[in-house]
Amino acid sequence: MERVIGIDLGTTNSCVAIVDDDGVPQVIPNRGGYKTTPSIVAITEAGRRLVGHIAKRQAITNAENTVYTAKRLIGRKWDSAPVRSARQSVSYTIEEGPHGDVRIRLRDQAYSVQEISAMILQEMKLVAEEAYPGETISRAVITVPAYFNDGQRQATKDAGQIAGLEVIRIINEPTAAALAYGYGKSLNKMVAVFDLGGGTFDISILEIGEGGVFKVVATAGDTFLGGEDFDLRIMDWLIDGFKKEHGVDLRQDRMALQRLKDAAEKAKCELSAVSEVDINLPFIISHGPTNEALHLQRQIDRATVENLCADLVQRCIEICQGTLKDAQLGAAEIDEVVLVGGMTRMPAVQKACAAFFKREPSKGVHPDEVVAVGAAIQGKALTDEHEDLILLDVTPHALGLLTAGNNFDELIAQNTTVPTSATKTFTTSRDQQTAVKILVMQREGTENQLLGEFLLTGLRSAPKGQVEIEVTFAIDSDGIVSVSAKDTETGLEQSIQVTASSGLTQEEIGQMMESAEEYMIERKESDELEGAKQQAEKLVSEVEKLFPQVEAVVSSSDFGREALAKARDVIVKTKDAIERRDAAQLKEQGEALSRTLKMFKGVASRPS
Ligand code: AMP
């Protein structure tokens, strides 16, 4: 049976896991041996696509063409507050797309955020395929923050499709973490999953029951609260200090911004282990006001960072408070707190969390890997009928309609178990009204957000209040919403899957899939070429090493001299093929060189 992978598509790092043949969930390391891959994509000057560590390493010198934190932009509208704020702080160019969506310019092409995320997903798929050679891996469970809205979920699913993956389920990150925590143990516990990652904060309260039942009781979060915000605070501190000292605003310099961002994040991470660090950025400005080079050199301690970020930590705690209230539970009723996400390594976060829940968090899970592991477990459970696992998740947002007078009429309450549906009957508000506009809204905090709209036309003409319209909202197991409206008397019906109005069309997705496939073919060819090149280089070096030894033995005979001349010729031709990256020649000369090496080894091993 084809395997299913679990992918944690993170803001900063991504991770892929699988349940192996023995039923043990495993994180799959990438080629470099790392268990997580930076969620970073870049296009080089030569037009080459880089993903992961290799993209991260060149981010400073290619800042304008390197995308990070794409997850903060996915499914968002161009004119939304989060996108406006990202436009100020990122080193790459964000443009408005044809649907009021977000596009990212890399070199001469504008990419949708879904395409950028698809590049990361494709890379994770490749990591898995390399671990299971000869197998096709095309099915995946992908995780999203619990607080992701409909548009963000749909966009993530589209990204999976573009990457050539069949996304069999979208699941919430804290729920996945809870699955990984409780899988295979017969627990009976109320668990809080506190998930602070690079870009988002989520808190979920789950009841884990015997027999593998995982029931989410309440969830909440903030999709714009994460490690990046902590980094920005440190960056601002550095920028303000620099301005005071030198009168120069580093915000105007993209390369300086990228270096500051890296330094801020590094300092933040180091301060989880030590109490003070030096930040050194030589030549941060190559030409200052009087044409001299300027260097940034500062010391920062843990207390300063804690002060700069105190309100961010406090915000997490406030969200926890609200969630416990929604769950109608007191902190003492929580049996276990599971910490997820790289940011939970920060001592101030751990301390605040322990103080709020009045207990030390569980140490049993790996914060960077647990989400992908949970996704893999869910993938296995969905495809293996012998797996006893029941997952009951909830919708993070209330859903309803906007009715006359701008009133939000709720159909599905926040924290309702999904899948779910709800129906409500409305009547027309005007005489002879033959059309009604349905505005599908979602309540995020105190704000109402338009998810989508559609028009039910062709209603029978009647005095106001006499035509009844039945509106049904449904949320599927991926958390994706669909809505239908029906004239109860005529049975006339209209429905939509509420893809946020910033979503891509099926045609666009199709085109993006094609170019992603083309890339994969090129990538595989280029990987094969790289492999052949490395093999040829190895053979050349081995033959060259043995050359003097073989020459000493055989050069006295005509036959031997002829063989040596032939070997020299093969070496020259192989080096030429390596230089020209000529796949056919590499293959031909590589084979000839293997034969030469075999012959050389034979001669070299002869007793003299
Ligand atoms: P995640 O999205 O779970 O990969 O979390 C990534 C976030 O965790 C980034 O903002 C990192 O800077 C942050 N992070 C990773 N390690 C540490 C650490 N030791 N201390 C503080 N933050 C960290």
Side-chain angles (χ1 to χ4, degrees), residues 401-415:
L401 294 176
L402 200 66
T403 54
N406 262 358
N407 286 322
F408 178 80
D409 199 332
E410 183 176 291
L411 268 90
I412 296 176
Q414 185 190 10
N415 291 326

Side-chain angles (χ1 to χ4, degrees), residues 8 10-14 36 71 195-200 226-231 265-266 268-273 340-347 367-368:
D8 169 9
T11 311
T12 356
N13 294 298
S14 293
T36 61
K71 188 171 173 179
D195 179 358
L196 187 60
T200 53
E228 288 278 323
D229 300 289
F230 289 67
D231 302 345
E265 186 186 3
K266 192 162 163 269
K268 175 192 72 178
C269 293
E270 286 174 4
L271 286 172
S272 291
V340 184
M343 272 310 298
T344 58
R345 292 207 184 88
M346 186 176 181
D368 298 332

Side-chain angles (χ1 to χ4, degrees), residues 386-402:
H386 304 299
E387 197 71 51
D388 279 334
L389 193 141
I390 300 169
L391 183 59
L392 299 165
D393 216 323
V394 298
T395 170
H397 308 286
L399 287 177
L401 294 176
L402 200 66

Side-chain angles (χ1 to χ4, degrees), residues 400-458:
L401 294 176
L402 200 66
T403 54
N406 262 358
N407 286 322
F408 178 80
D409 199 332
E410 183 176 291
L411 268 90
I412 296 176
Q414 185 190 10
N415 291 326
T416 303
T417 302
V418 292
T420 186
S421 69
T423 299
K424 204 163 179 171
T425 305
F426 297 86
T427 52
T428 44
S429 57
R430 293 192 312 272
D431 287 335
Q432 320 310 333
Q433 183 175 350
T434 54
V436 41
K437 197 175 191 179
I438 312 278
L439 295 168
V440 183
M441 307 298 289
Q442 157 189 281
R443 197 164 49 212
E444 222 175 310
T446 50
E447 268 180 50
N448 294 332
Q449 217 199 352
L450 180 70
L451 280 187
E453 56 182 59
F454 66 105
L455 204 62
L456 182 66
T457 52

